[in-house]
């Protein structure tokens, strides 16, 4: 098996992706022809300012080019299977400020394309295409610049190629897996640094800064998402964003943070004791969540029904909360059918991971009236080659739980006197990134999560 380094020494397999997308499109359109036209993200200015916004490449464009440069275009000829990348030409007035742009020869050697031209040639190139290639143009709605014209094409479709790319992105090739592994390795090191530093920190923002510093120093300047650095009760908010609270008096810290490497995300969550030792209540909840995660990861293999894995996580949560005494007076199946566990585990078990943190192709059903499955971001069977997060959690959010306490359908199963001892736990979530394989799975996340290892790291 090739190492991550040897895989990444080659070019990003953009043309293989393009062929894969064409195959997917042909399953819907057997007589497929013409060209695929995709635009990269444009340089955009901050409103009322002369500085550019932070650049984030369009993922549809990157998937077919591997190019992370602003203001570029791609034309892929379906019949000839050739890719032409269009890059910005030299602007003499801009060179003094920004330096020379990427040269065509550099782009041709760096990216998996057949030809590189200046972006000023796009319209002329479209017009010059042979008649056989002008039957159809496949582009993405609202991602075609006003100056681009398709006057000679018999058909213009603005939906099929987007749908095809979204589906193709689910199954990763070895290059994409290597990117994800690298992002995970960098993030794991940054997570470890935060665990070690937390005992001596005074504020959430110090730990966010440390995570960012370690990622940037390791070569990952971009983050896959805004870090969640949630101490104490803040961890009950799933996507807590402030990251500015003092740590004094807080039991635990939930760190949900992941670096991005060449447009590919990692997404890791660890919860650990700020003092270096879990107290009784925190350890009880942590043990339940860790069991939920381990058993659910153990279920993963090609063809497993993700809804079933999610349901199993809820059954384990119920079992654990019954043993602790937060849940009571009920048969496990009765509590499961009542959906009372949703009060403590309100989100889905995980989501696809790739160029986006919540990656495409999961087919969620947010209109689902079943509260247990409403926020499940992936539905159905998992294919081999997909990367999915496994992130069970148990939370003590008053805003969510109190309506359950007022509803007799649920309140009969909840012992409020016992529950009151756990509010300061806030929330516990443990999240790994897992590659689904034909016969099982491969966990791509190396950040420590066993209690003994976490506590040892926190006290080192």
């Amino acid at each position: 098996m090739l190492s991550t380094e040897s895989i990444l020494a080659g070019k990003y397999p953009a043309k293989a992706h393009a062929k894969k997308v064409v195959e997917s499109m042909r399953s819907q359109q057997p007589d497929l022809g013409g060209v695929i036209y995709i635009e990269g993200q444009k340089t955009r200015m901050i409103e009322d300012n002369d500085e550019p916004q932070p650049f984030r490449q369009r993922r549809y464009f990157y998937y077919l080019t591997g190019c992370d440069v602003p203001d570029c275009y791609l034309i892929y000829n379906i019949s000839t299977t050739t890719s032409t990348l269009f890059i910005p030409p030299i602007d003499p007035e801009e060179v003094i400020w920004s330096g020379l742009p990427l040269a065509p020869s550099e782009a041709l050697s760096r990216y998996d394309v057949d030809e590189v031209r200046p972006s000023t040639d796009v319209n002329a190139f479209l017009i010059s295409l042979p008649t056989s290639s002008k039957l159809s143009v496949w582009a993405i709605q609202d991602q075609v610049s006003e100056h681009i014209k398709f006057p000679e094409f018999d058909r213009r479709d603005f939906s099929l190629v987007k749908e095809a790319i979204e589906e193709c992105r689910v199954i990763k090739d070895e290059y994409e897996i290597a990117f994800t592994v690298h992002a995970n390795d960098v993030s794991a090191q940054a997570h470890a640094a935060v665990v070690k530093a937390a005992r001596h920190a005074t504020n959430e923002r110090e730990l966010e800064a440390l995570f960012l510093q370690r990622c940037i120093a390791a070569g990952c300047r971009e983050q896959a998402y805004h870090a969640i650095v949630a101490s104490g009760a803040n961890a009950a908010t799933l996507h807590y964003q402030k990251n500015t609270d003092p740590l004094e008096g807080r039991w635990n810290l939930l760190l949900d943070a992941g670096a991005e490497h060449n447009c590919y995300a990692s997404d890791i969550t660890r919860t650990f004791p700020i003092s270096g030792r879990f107290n009784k209540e925190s350890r009880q909840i942590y043990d339940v969540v860790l069991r939920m995660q381990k058993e659910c990861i153990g279920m993963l293999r090609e063809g497993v029904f993700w809804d079933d894995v999610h349901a199993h996580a809820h059954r384990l949560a119920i079992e654990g909360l019954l043993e602790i005494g937060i849940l009571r007076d009920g048969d496990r199946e009765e509590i499961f059918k009542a959906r009372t566990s949703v009060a403590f585990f309100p989100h889905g078990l995980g989501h696809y991971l790739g160029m986006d943190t919540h990656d495409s192709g999961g087919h969620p059903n947010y209109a689902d009236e079943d509260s247990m499955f409403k926020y499940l971001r992936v539905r159905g069977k998992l294919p081999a080659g997909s990367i999915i997060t496994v992130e069970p959690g148990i939370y003590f959010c008053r805003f969510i739980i109190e309506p359950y306490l007022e509803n007799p359908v649920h309140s009969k199963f909840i012992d409020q006197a016992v529950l009151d001892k756990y509010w300061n736990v806030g929330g516990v979530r443990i999240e790994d990134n897992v590659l689904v394989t034909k016969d099982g799975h491969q966990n791509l996340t190396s950040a420590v999560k066993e209690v003994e290892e976490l506590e040892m790291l926190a006290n080192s």
Side-chain angles (χ1 to χ4, degrees):
M1 184 175 179
L2 293 175
S3 67
T4 298
E5 292 77 14
S6 59
I7 292 170
L8 297 183
K11 289 184 179 181
Y12 180 86
K15 289 193 69 179
H17 289 177
K19 291 176 181 177
K20 184 178 174 183
V21 169
V22 167
E23 289 176 10
S24 177
M25 293 170 69
R26 280 210 171 104
S27 69
Q28 303 293 321
Q29 191 77 33
D31 60 343
L32 189 76
V35 299
I36 294 172
Y37 173 86
I38 305 286
E39 293 189 3
Q41 185 58 270
K42 303 295 184 292
T43 300
R44 301 187 185 279
M45 307 308 290
I46 297 172
E47 188 175 11
D48 301 324
N49 192 277
D50 64 354
E51 287 290 317
Q53 295 177 6
F55 175 72
R56 184 180 190 272
Q57 186 59 282
R58 283 175 173 160
R59 273 29 186 173
Y60 303 103
F61 178 82
Y62 191 89
Y63 190 71
L64 297 183
T65 64
C67 176
D68 196 23
V69 177
D71 306 309
C72 295
Y73 306 76
L74 172 76
I75 296 174
Y76 180 79
N77 191 312
I78 293 171
S79 61
T80 63
T81 68
T82 54
S83 291
T84 304
L85 176 66
F86 298 82
I87 63 175
I90 293 177
D91 179 351
E93 302 221 353
E94 186 63 26
V95 171
I96 190 173
W97 305 106
S98 305
L100 286 167
L102 183 70
S105 58
E106 291 177 286
L108 193 60
S109 65
R110 185 180 300 178
Y111 306 122
D112 185 21
V113 296
D114 298 294
E115 185 180 15
V116 179
R117 292 175 172 240
S119 56
T120 48
D121 287 359
V122 174
N123 274 323
F125 186 88
L126 287 167
I127 292 171
S128 70
L129 287 169
T131 303
S132 60
S133 298
K134 292 181 181 176
L135 299 175
S136 303
V137 60
W138 310 89
I140 296 176
Q141 187 71 40
D142 300 322
Q143 293 189 12
V144 178
S145 299
E146 290 184 3
H147 72 279
I148 297 299
K149 308 298 179 186
F150 303 133
E152 300 186 23
F153 286 89
D154 297 332
R155 178 179 181 182
R156 305 171 184 85
D157 185 287
F158 297 96
S159 60
L160 184 58
V161 67
K162 179 176 183 287
E163 295 167 4
I165 293 173
E166 288 175 347
E167 293 303 314
C168 289
R169 282 168 53 180
V170 171
I171 298 176
K172 310 299 192 289
D173 55 45
E174 65 176 8
Y175 207 98
E176 296 176 288
I177 294 167
F179 271 165
T180 308
V181 168
H182 183 82
N184 263 269
D185 289 346
V186 169
S187 298
Q189 295 169 22
H191 270 268
V194 172
V195 174
K196 291 175 69 172
R199 195 159 54 98
H200 305 289
T202 61
N203 194 287
E204 293 166 346
R205 60 175 169 258
E206 297 172 44
L207 301 177
E208 179 180 18
L210 177 59
F211 188 89
L212 293 172
Q213 184 272 330
R214 291 303 173 93
C215 291
I216 293 171
C220 291
R221 184 178 181 184
E222 305 300 330
Q223 293 293 294
Y225 52 95
H226 186 83
I228 299 166
V229 188
S231 61
N234 293 336
T237 300
L238 302 184
H239 288 171
Y240 172 75
Q241 297 284 283
K242 269 179 35 179
N243 299 350
T244 56
D245 271 11
L247 301 177
E248 186 176 359
R250 307 288 174 86
W251 292 356
N252 308 309
L253 187 99
L254 186 154
L255 176 63
D256 185 339
E260 179 182 293
H261 178 62
N262 287 357
C263 294
Y264 280 80
S266 61
D267 185 1
I268 302 171
T269 307
R270 291 293 182 263
T271 308
F272 60 90
I274 296 171
S275 69
R277 292 280 184 269
F278 281 114
N279 63 13
K280 175 187 173 183
E281 291 81 8
S282 300
R283 175 65 186 268
Q284 287 176 317
I285 300 303
Y286 191 91
D287 285 347
V288 173
V289 175
L290 186 59
R291 182 189 174 198
M292 291 165 68
Q293 199 213 30
K294 284 182 173 180
E295 288 201 17
C296 289
I297 289 176
M299 296 172 69
L300 299 188
R301 58 188 50 79
E302 181 183 33
V304 71
F305 198 59
W306 185 241
D307 302 51
D308 290 344
V309 184
H310 175 71
H312 184 67
H314 271 275
R315 294 183 190 280
L316 292 173
I318 291 167
E319 183 178 325
L321 293 174
L322 279 168
E323 290 176 359
I324 292 169
I326 294 173
L327 294 180
R328 65 174 184 187
D329 296 341
D331 173 79
R332 294 174 187 177
E333 192 62 25
E334 187 181 6
I335 295 172
F336 179 84
K337 289 179 179 177
R339 301 307 197 234
T340 304
S341 57
V342 175
F344 303 95
F345 179 26
H347 61 78
L349 181 61
H351 49 80
Y352 284 140
L353 182 74
M355 286 189 285
D356 288 314
T357 306
H358 299 151
D359 213 29
S360 60
H363 304 290
N365 177 16
Y366 298 126
D368 196 329
E369 295 182 0
D370 188 331
S371 61
M372 186 174 287
F373 296 94
K374 180 176 182 179
Y375 297 116
L376 192 58
R377 296 181 189 271
V378 175
R379 306 298 292 266
K381 294 181 179 180
L382 302 184
S386 60
I387 297 176
I388 196 158
T389 67
V390 183
E391 50 179 305
I394 291 178
Y395 310 87
F396 298 92
C397 177
R398 291 183 183 273
F399 183 82
I400 293 175
I401 293 174
E402 285 176 351
Y404 284 77
L405 297 175
E406 297 166 2
N407 184 338
V409 171
H410 302 290
S411 61
K412 64 182 179 180
F413 298 129
I414 302 173
D415 189 324
Q416 188 165 353
V418 177
L419 171 63
D420 285 342
K421 300 175 184 178
Y422 291 82
W423 295 114
N424 288 334
V425 173
V428 173
R429 180 165 66 251
I430 308 171
E431 177 181 17
D432 290 352
N433 308 159
V434 184
L435 172 67
V436 179
T437 65
K438 181 175 178 58
D439 300 314
H441 58 272
Q442 178 186 350
N443 193 331
L444 307 181
T445 303
S446 60
V448 299
K449 60 186 176 184
E450 297 296 334
V451 170
E452 293 75 14
E453 292 179 289
L454 268 179
E455 291 185 341
M456 185 180 299
L457 187 61
N459 286 284
S460 62

